[in-house]
């Protein structure tokens, strides 16, 4: 299949589809290609190919299944995070069990939707994770928090500055770096520095874990 990257770019959100079922990829592409602000730049049939295509095409968002032959979604997520400019990953799954979804979120996914998701809701989810938001269902957020409690918590003994606490509060509220910069009258570069410091001090790997840490410790707006 010819790649969408061969078409003139529409300056929209660049999306890569990773699923071992061609019919699923075809359905996703058919819907997404009618969105004015979303461009499907490529497809992959498994996790290994997905990582390679992501490195080549540098999409903004990767829509990826969890269960795939060979390199599954969890392993692919870990490898995607090692790329120079990792894309946001939105898991598209038919599995509703927490034991399937939670590892994907811990591996770096920005959220997940089910394969029977309403098309408009899917487009909204892509826009949301692209903007830096985290998409979590309450029951899955609870499972993540419970696991953190069972591990003795994270970031014990870390000290955040007042500004870092303000930034963390807005992360927990689902704000993107751009929105945080506007709210606190800062540059995006400064916000990125604060976010990096927060993750380092709390011994966390991503914004999802930071948001959950904030909720668990009462640092919310």
């Amino acid at each position: 299949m010819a790649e969408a990257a061969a078409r003139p770019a529409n300056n929209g959100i660049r999306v890569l589809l990773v699923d071992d079922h061609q019919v699923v990829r075809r359905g996703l592409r058919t819907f997404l290609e009618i969105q004015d602000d979303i461009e499907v730049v490529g497809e992959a049939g498994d996790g290994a190919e997905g990582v390679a295509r992501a490195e080549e095409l540098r999409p903004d968002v990767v829509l990826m299944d969890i269960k795939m032959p060979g390199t599954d979604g969890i392993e692919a997520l870990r490898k995607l995070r090692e790329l120079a400019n990792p894309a946001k990953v939105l898991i598209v799954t038919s599995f509703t069990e927490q034991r399937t979804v939670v590892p994907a979120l811990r591996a770096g996914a920005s959220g997940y939707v089910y394969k029977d998701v309403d098309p408009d809701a899917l487009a909204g989810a892509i826009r949301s994770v692209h903007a830096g938001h985290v998409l979590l269902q309450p029951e899955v957020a609870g499972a993540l928090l419970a696991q953190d409690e069972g591990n003795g918590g994270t970031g014990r003994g870390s000290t955040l500055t007042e500004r870092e606490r303000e930034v963390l509060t807005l992360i927990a509220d689902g704000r993107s770096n751009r929105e945080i910069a506007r709210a606190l009258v800062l540059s995006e570069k400064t916000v990125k520095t604060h976010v990096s410091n927060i993750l380092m001090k709390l011994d966390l790997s991503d914004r999802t874990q930071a948001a959950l840490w904030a909720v668990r410790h009462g640092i919310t707006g």
Side-chain angles (χ1 to χ4, degrees), residues 153-168:
T154 56
R156 290 176 296 182
S158 298
T159 301
L160 300 177
T161 66
E162 181 177 351
R163 178 63 84 187
E164 287 165 354
R165 290 176 69 89
E166 291 175 337
V167 171
L168 182 56

Side-chain angles (χ1 to χ4, degrees), residues 128-178:
S128 184
V129 298
H130 178 251
H133 299 296
V134 176
L135 299 181
L136 293 177
Q137 297 296 327
E139 65 273 14
V140 172
L144 283 165
L145 290 172
Q147 287 188 10
D148 280 346
E149 292 289 356
N151 292 330
T154 56
R156 290 176 296 182
S158 298
T159 301
L160 300 177
T161 66
E162 181 177 351
R163 178 63 84 187
E164 287 165 354
R165 290 176 69 89
E166 291 175 337
V167 171
L168 182 56
T169 297
L170 293 174
I171 290 175
D173 193 38
R175 305 287 190 92
S176 66
N177 284 352
R178 178 174 298 180

